[in-house]
Amino acid sequence: MSTDSLFHRDLYAGQMAEQLLNPGPLDESTRSGVFLSGIRRVGKTTFLRQDLIPALESRGALVIYVDLWADPAKSPSALVHEAVRQTLLQLQTPGSALLKRLRGLRLGAAGLSLDIELDRIGEPGGSTLAQAFEALVAKTKTNVVLIIDEVQQTLGTDEGQALLHALKAARDAVNAKPGTPGRFLFIGTGSHKSLLAEMTSRRAQPFAGALSASYQVLGKDFVQWQLDRLASAPGLTLPSLDAAWEGFQTLGHRPEELLKALRQLQQVGGTDPDTAWHIVCATLAGAAADADLKAFDDLGELGKAVFERIAAGGEQGISGLFGAESLTFYSERIGSAVDASQVQKVVDKMVGAQLIIRPSHGVYTIADPFVRKVWQEKQALLAPPPGPR
């Protein structure tokens, strides 16, 4: 993708980087961590990679980025430890790409001696994450920022909770040390607003007291930029800016859906592009929702029944999926007896496919709040009208 095909959010990224690295009196909670929430496919990961990370690095920070959805077969703990090991390895490898990128920190090209056993970080008897980040900050003499995308995936398992506690210990070990040449800073992002809020508000959570914020979705300036790019191509039918902005909101502020709608508009006849545009956007919004829900359809009738049970629990989730009351509910829905082992298999498949998550022991919730919202809207449409009183 060429540079001119990227919409950069330099102001937003710069403000966030400054609040994190050089917090004012009202921003000091960022030292405890930042949890950034926003629904899927609105550009969070793109923003992190192309705008926020460069903004942090341009201010001298060393950034480690981990996407917990990058490899569903690996646990969050394994992915984080692997990313830390790779960073330490590059810093110890003469001429590595990371050393070249950090040239401004005067680290030299010969590599650093960190006195850390890379292959034993996080293992019994090996170096802890706290020791690894202490070594990173001490040797690089700069701020080290760890960004974990889809951080809510750490919830619901003992291993995930252990990882969060280890990262809190690293934060405290580095930031509480007198005269430290840098700080350990943590950013967690995710698509489940209520779960991320709980990670900063519940006292039992390791990052209680950290800053919880909503991701700023792309605005009208992005729509204008997209229309300006396309206006240079001859023969394209484009909506007005106001209509395009309204359609973008209908599409949930999703940039990929905006492009899809603009492509589809070229195939629609008529003399009024704005009228056709609104129809295209409404149709695509419904189709996108259907695609999200199809994943649950593929799990069969029992999967749909389990999903219905979980979705009814709201954002906070529901417990008792394997109890007698729930089993009766499933049996009535599918018309045959259901036992707990069948439900467990379906739930395991849903967790593995990242359709649902377990925020705490025995509690399950839909991974993407948008999917739950769409399902509820469809159920309302399918519900029979109330009879006469």
Side-chain angles (χ1 to χ4, degrees), residues 81 89 107 117 140 161 173 188 200 220 282 292 315 363:
H81 282 91
L89 177 61
L107 299 180
E117 294 183 68
T140 61
Q161 282 296 304
T200 64
K220 199 172 185 177
D292 283 322
E315 290 190 2
V363 177

Side-chain angles (χ1 to χ4, degrees), residues 14 28 185 196 259 270:
E28 290 181 352
L185 304 166
L196 262 67
L259 270 179

Side-chain angles (χ1 to χ4, degrees), residues 258-279:
L258 176 65
L259 270 179
K260 190 183 297 183
L262 288 167
R263 285 195 296 267
Q264 192 163 321
L265 181 64
Q266 309 314 306
Q267 302 166 24
V268 178
T271 57
D272 184 359
D274 283 2
T275 298
W277 170 253
H278 289 307
I279 295 172

Side-chain angles (χ1 to χ4, degrees), residues 9 30 59 70 93-94 118 124 127 258 276 292 349 389:
R9 308 185 70 184
T30 60
R59 289 163 173 77
T93 302
L118 299 186
S127 298
L258 176 65
D292 283 322
K349 286 181 181 179
R389 296 185 178 181

Side-chain angles (χ1 to χ4, degrees), residues 291-315:
D292 283 322
L293 293 176
K294 189 179 185 303
F296 292 95
D297 292 341
D298 293 341
L299 292 168
E301 293 303 314
L302 179 56
K304 293 179 188 178
V306 173
F307 173 63
E308 181 180 350
R309 191 76 167 165
I310 298 173
E315 290 190 2

Side-chain angles (χ1 to χ4, degrees), residues 94-123:
S96 70
L98 180 57
L99 279 177
K100 291 177 181 177
R101 194 166 74 238
L102 297 176
R103 219 174 268 162
L105 299 180
R106 300 178 182 176
L107 299 180
L112 300 178
S113 176
L114 295 169
D115 300 322
I116 295 287
E117 294 183 68
L118 299 186
D119 57 348
R120 299 196 64 200
I121 294 176
E123 295 184 1

Side-chain angles (χ1 to χ4, degrees), residues 9 69 131 135 167 183 197 235 247 318 324 387:
R9 308 185 70 184
W69 277 2
Q131 291 170 326
L167 292 174
R183 296 184 181 274
I318 190 171

Side-chain angles (χ1 to χ4, degrees), residues 28 31 34 43 52 120-121 200 247 253 267 288 317 325 327 345 360 371:
E28 290 181 352
R31 293 293 197 205
V34 175
L52 182 58
R120 299 196 64 200
I121 294 176
T200 64
H253 294 265
Q267 302 166 24
E325 184 180 340
L327 294 178
K345 289 178 182 178
S360 59
V371 174

